[in-house]
Amino acid sequence: MTTPTTTTATMTTTETETPRGHQLHMGIAEQGKVHALEGKHGLALTCYREAIRIAVRSGAPEVFFRHYMECTLESLERMGSYAEVLDYTDRAISHYAAIQAESEAQRSLIRADLVHIHQRRGVVLLKLGRTDEARQALEQARSLARPGLRCELCDTLLGWIARGFHVDAHRILTEQEARRYFSVRPDTVNRAAAIPLPSVLSG
C-alpha cells in the first residue's frame, strides 16, 4: 500500500512541463480538483479514482498516485466521510510498522508520511468529538515532527484541547484552511489543464 506524503507538490499540467503520457490522468485529476473547489466532492472522487486507475495502469511514477490519494482523502474529509479516512490512516500506520527502512532517505520519507497520517487521524477524531483519541494521535504526529518537520496545526489543536475549549468541526476547518492544510486550493488548481471525465469516456 502506498500513502500520501506531507511534501506532496502541486502538480502542473502544462504542455511544456508534463510528459505527454501523463497528461490524461493529470488532466482528469485537475478536473477533480475543480469539482472539489465547487463543493462537488462526489464528482471529484470519481475523477481522482479514474486518474489513479490510469496512472497505475500506465506505470506512472508513484508521486502521481500519492498526490491523487491525498486529494481523495481531502474530499472524503470535507464530505464528512470520516470512517473511510480513519480506515485509511489505520491501514497506513500498520503498513509502515511492518517496513524496515533501508536508507536514511527512506526513513525520512516514512517519518514525514507518518506525521501527516497521524495529524489527519487526529483532526478527524477531533471532528468526531473523540477528544482523548485525537490528543493521542496529534501528540504522536508532533513527536515525529521534531526536529525538522513542522506540525503547527497539531500545536494549535493540542492547545485547544489542553485549555478545554469546545471545538466543533467548523472551527477546526477554519483553522485547517488558515494553516493551508488542504492541497486543493484555488491557488493550486490549473483549470485550463482540466479534462472533463465524461468527454474522456465518450472519446
Side-chain angles (χ1 to χ4, degrees), residues 5-26:
T5 176
T6 53
T7 56
T8 300
T10 300
M11 302 235 173
T12 57
T13 53
T14 61
E15 184 78 20
T16 57
E17 296 176 354
T18 306
R20 292 192 64 85
H22 300 321
Q23 288 172 5
L24 179 58
H25 60 78
M26 290 186 75

Side-chain angles (χ1 to χ4, degrees), residues 80 82-83 86 120-136 138 157 161 165-170 172:
Y82 300 142
L86 289 176
R120 187 182 297 281
R121 177 175 167 77
V123 166
V124 168
L125 287 167
L126 193 57
K127 287 181 178 179
L128 286 168
R130 293 160 61 178
T131 305
D132 288 342
E133 294 172 87
R135 183 178 61 250
Q136 292 173 18
L138 294 168
L157 298 182
I161 292 170
F165 292 169
H166 172 70
V167 182
D168 59 20
H170 177 72
I172 297 168

Side-chain angles (χ1 to χ4, degrees), residues 152-171:
E152 294 175 352
L153 181 61
C154 291
D155 292 337
T156 298
L157 298 182
L158 284 168
W160 291 354
I161 292 170
R163 292 173 177 84
F165 292 169
H166 172 70
V167 182
D168 59 20
H170 177 72
R171 184 172 184 182

Side-chain angles (χ1 to χ4, degrees), residues 73-148:
L73 290 169
E74 286 186 8
S75 277
L76 287 171
E77 185 177 338
R78 284 188 176 275
M79 291 171 67
S81 297
Y82 300 142
E84 291 184 73
V85 178
L86 289 176
D87 177 68
Y88 173 82
T89 60
D90 288 344
R91 288 186 290 113
I93 291 167
S94 295
H95 167 74
Y96 277 131
I99 289 180
Q100 294 294 324
E102 298 178 355
S103 67
E104 183 58 36
Q106 187 181 22
R107 284 190 289 273
S108 294
L109 179 61
I110 290 173
R111 187 183 185 97
D113 273 2
L114 283 171
V115 168
H116 192 59
I117 292 162
H118 283 292
Q119 177 178 251
R120 187 182 297 281
R121 177 175 167 77
V123 166
V124 168
L125 287 167
L126 193 57
K127 287 181 178 179
L128 286 168
R130 293 160 61 178
T131 305
D132 288 342
E133 294 172 87
R135 183 178 61 250
Q136 292 173 18
L138 294 168
E139 287 175 345
Q140 182 66 24
R142 189 167 63 178
S143 71
L144 291 168
R146 295 173 178 166

